[in-house]
Amino acid sequence: MIFMSKTRTLAAVVAAVAMVPLVPSAASAEGLAWRPCASIAKGWDDTDKQTECAMITVPLDYADPDGRKIDVAVSRIPATGERSGAIVFNPGGPGQSGMVTPSTIVDSKAAGLLEHHDLIGFDPRGVDYSAGVNCPEDETSPSPGMSEKDSARFVAERDAAARKRCIDKDPAFVRSLTTSNIARDVDRIRQALGEDKIGYYGVSWGTALGAEYRTLFDDHVDKMLLDSVMSPELNLTTMDDDIATVGEKTFREFSAWIARHDSVYHFGRDAQTVAKALLDLRAELTAQPRKAADGSPVDGKTVNDMLADPRKTWPDVATRLATIRDGGTPEVNQGPVPKTGFGWDTERSGGSTFQQNALLCNESPSPRDFETVWRHWLDRIERNPVSGSYGFWEQKCIGWPAPVQQWAFEPGKSPLQLVGHVFEPVTPIGWAVAMQRRIGGALMKIEDDAHGSLQSLPCASAAVTFFDTGRTTTESCPGPAIPEPKA
């Protein structure tokens, strides 16, 4: 195993700074110069004729509203029927672009939201078309002869140095990357739209952004829906601990599922036997790794990284594990490396890793030194032999120099619908329960392990009903069944 092991999903997070009085924006709905996104935004889908884009200007520092200004990119798909307002979306990350989220919603089972609402997306400061810092990553590899710990230290120091170079390009901008400032940017979007109140639909880290917006601007919230809810307290150490705990539970459930289909996979007829066979396969390939056709390693990490995957992938993953056990080497798929940039001439990347790091580290009190993070990592593996090594959040802040500004969410009075996913490892269901205790609202539980899946399920109708009527629900929603094994 290697320290930086597995990035399982871009999940999410960030916080609240001391409240600063908001100076009213001079922007108005008429002041927004809406134009077809395809005509001005580089890399936009030329076939998209419905999404419009505009820029708003916001203060870099809301404590100095007359000081430096930055641009935030906004998108819109206008309501198709009798309009009752606007819903602002954030898909999470942090660091994820939200410009195409309205289009994604229109193509989903939550498309009914468009009938009575303008759907509004935006790139948070630091992401894609909005103002940002161009921060290329250093991909220098550790020397092959290094020990596991020395390799981890090399990567941690390499990444810390790269982040410091980015910070030094624009320290004031990097310090401004907080959930609180982005929540204030959302309120400037509200003002620019000419709305007294807005709806808000946030996923993953976008739920923290929503909780912060509701804390600061509850009087300007029409209705708010938060799907795949973050914990009300951001601590990357705790995040890795909680995610590992859920991952270990997923491994046990996966082993039991394979056992039920022993006639297909032949790993054993009970969960304990299957789990032992899989861990033995991991140990065998750790000691004697192989090579795939493309030259990539098939080793213990290859096996371990498949042991707590999403339920919808279980038939394919089990087949691949059986292939490895039987001496084969299935292909290892690797995704593209995202680019970075900002302004309408930016080639869209879909997100910013540096913005994510800055938001998390500006707001998490997790350790900044390698030795503590390494010790936590080893302890986590001791407690969670399969999923303990999946943790990658805590190490992001090694060497981060900026002071911490922690979240401080408060309850509100505006209608609030929370959505949690019973088996999800990215934002565990316990986080949704804790957030409900902190800020209130009704909690709907979806019986799946998919991150932010509400919009893709038939029960997305509950979201449409909520934004149309304000009626919340506490009912459970069935998720999709685990696919049957392939013959």
Side-chain angles (χ1 to χ4, degrees):
M1 301 295 159
I2 187 166
F3 181 48
M4 305 286 289
S5 64
K6 186 176 183 182
T7 302
R8 302 192 52 88
T9 298
L10 194 62
V13 355
V14 183
V17 110
M19 289 191 181
V20 178
L22 181 68
V23 176
S25 170
S28 66
E30 292 74 20
L32 283 173
W34 293 110
R35 295 174 61 188
C37 296
S39 71
I40 59 172
K42 185 176 181 180
W44 202 272
D45 181 1
D46 290 337
T47 66
D48 181 2
K49 307 300 182 184
Q50 60 183 346
T51 311
E52 303 168 327
C53 285
M55 284 282 186
I56 67 166
T57 300
V58 302
L60 174 71
D61 180 358
Y62 282 90
D64 182 19
D66 297 323
R68 178 180 166 188
K69 303 296 193 296
I70 58 173
D71 289 335
V72 171
V74 183
S75 64
R76 173 181 75 170
I77 299 180
T80 57
E82 183 177 350
R83 183 184 181 281
S84 63
I87 302 173
V88 175
F89 293 84
N90 181 275
Q96 191 169 343
S97 170
M99 292 293 282
V100 300
T101 304
S103 181
T104 301
I105 293 294
V106 169
D107 292 335
S108 76
K109 294 187 184 300
L113 293 172
L114 184 63
E115 182 176 357
H116 301 302
H117 303 88
D118 294 348
L119 306 186
I120 309 297
F122 72 104
D123 275 344
R125 57 173 69 193
V127 178
D128 274 4
Y129 298 124
S130 292
V133 178
N134 190 14
C135 289
E137 296 183 26
D138 184 346
E139 298 180 359
T140 307
S141 299
S143 299
M146 284 185 173
S147 68
E148 186 175 30
K149 182 176 182 180
D150 286 344
S151 293
R153 186 190 303 276
F154 174 91
V155 171
E157 292 175 351
R158 176 201 69 189
D159 291 349
R163 288 191 285 266
K164 185 178 186 305
R165 289 193 294 271
C166 290
I167 294 170
D168 290 345
K169 289 180 180 181
D170 195 341
F173 182 84
V174 175
R175 287 195 301 271
S176 83
L177 294 174
T178 66
T179 307
S180 179
N181 279 333
I182 295 174
R184 290 181 167 91
D185 294 344
V186 169
D187 201 60
R188 290 299 177 101
I189 293 172
R190 175 193 65 78
Q191 295 174 50
L193 293 171
E195 301 287 344
D196 180 56
K197 294 187 176 186
I198 52 171
Y200 179 87
Y201 187 141
V203 179
S204 192
W205 171 81
T207 65
L209 177 60
E212 178 68 1
Y213 185 80
R214 192 166 177 261
T215 295
L216 297 176
F217 304 107
D218 190 40
D219 289 345
H220 292 299
V221 176
D222 179 35
K223 305 171 189 75
M224 180 173 289
L225 186 148
L226 307 178
D227 184 17
S228 280
V229 183
M230 289 295 302
S231 169
E233 295 183 359
L234 175 63
N235 186 309
L236 300 189
T237 305
T238 304
M239 279 181 60
D240 278 342
D241 288 344
D242 292 350
I243 290 170
T245 299
V246 175
E248 207 70 21
K249 183 173 183 288
T250 299
F251 170 60
R252 294 193 295 271
E253 293 169 346
F254 180 44
S255 298
W257 181 86
I258 291 178
R260 291 197 297 273
H261 299 288
D262 184 56
S263 61
V264 178
Y265 302 116
H266 310 297
F267 276 104
R269 296 183 178 180
D270 62 80
Q272 186 175 1
T273 301
V274 172
K276 182 179 184 304
L278 293 173
L279 294 178
D280 286 348
L281 180 62
R282 181 182 73 174
E284 175 190 335
L285 286 169
T286 298
Q288 297 179 316
R290 307 175 199 154
K291 293 283 187 182
D294 63 358
S296 60
V298 179
D299 54 16
K301 182 180 183 300
T302 306
V303 173
N304 199 75
D305 283 356
M306 291 191 277
L307 297 184
D309 272 4
R311 293 174 170 226
K312 66 181 180 181
T313 69
W314 284 0
D316 289 335
V317 171
T319 298
R320 295 177 69 199
L321 288 166
T323 298
I324 293 172
R325 176 201 60 200
D326 296 338
T329 53
E331 293 183 3
V332 178
N333 297 321
Q334 295 182 344
V337 177
K339 301 177 182 178
T340 59
F342 43 88
W344 289 134
D345 291 331
T346 296
E347 191 71 53
R348 289 192 67 253
S349 68
S352 167
T353 301
F354 178 73
Q355 196 257 24
Q356 179 182 82
N357 283 336
L359 274 165
L360 296 176
C361 299
N362 282 340
E363 302 185 303
S364 170
S366 51
R368 268 47 177 169
D369 65 291
F370 171 80
E371 289 294 339
T372 301
V373 174
W374 175 257
R375 186 175 68 252
H376 287 172
W377 188 71
L378 294 177
D379 291 346
R380 199 171 292 119
I381 293 173
E382 182 71 22
R383 297 192 304 272
N384 305 282
V386 168
S387 58
S389 62
Y390 293 164
F392 65 96
W393 291 112
E394 188 180 26
Q395 64 204 40
K396 284 178 173 286
C397 297
I398 292 173
W400 190 261
V404 174
Q405 307 170 56
Q406 291 183 259
W407 291 347
F409 303 145
E410 296 179 2
K413 297 180 179 179
S414 55
L416 175 62
Q417 177 70 64
L418 306 177
V419 181
H421 301 259
V422 176
F423 306 109
E424 189 197 340
V426 180
T427 51
I429 186 67
W431 293 359
V433 174
M435 183 70 88
Q436 183 186 36
R437 286 198 297 265
R438 176 69 59 85
I439 68 173
L443 176 59
M444 172 186 184
K445 295 181 180 179
I446 298 179
E447 296 168 0
D448 70 359
D449 63 351
H451 192 57
S453 66
L454 174 63
Q455 68 191 52
S456 66
L457 298 172
C459 52
S461 59
V464 177
T465 298
F466 172 65
F467 281 106
D468 283 349
T469 69
R471 188 165 67 247
T472 58
T473 182
T474 57
E475 294 183 2
S476 293
C477 168
I482 301 171
E484 289 297 313
K486 297 179 180 179

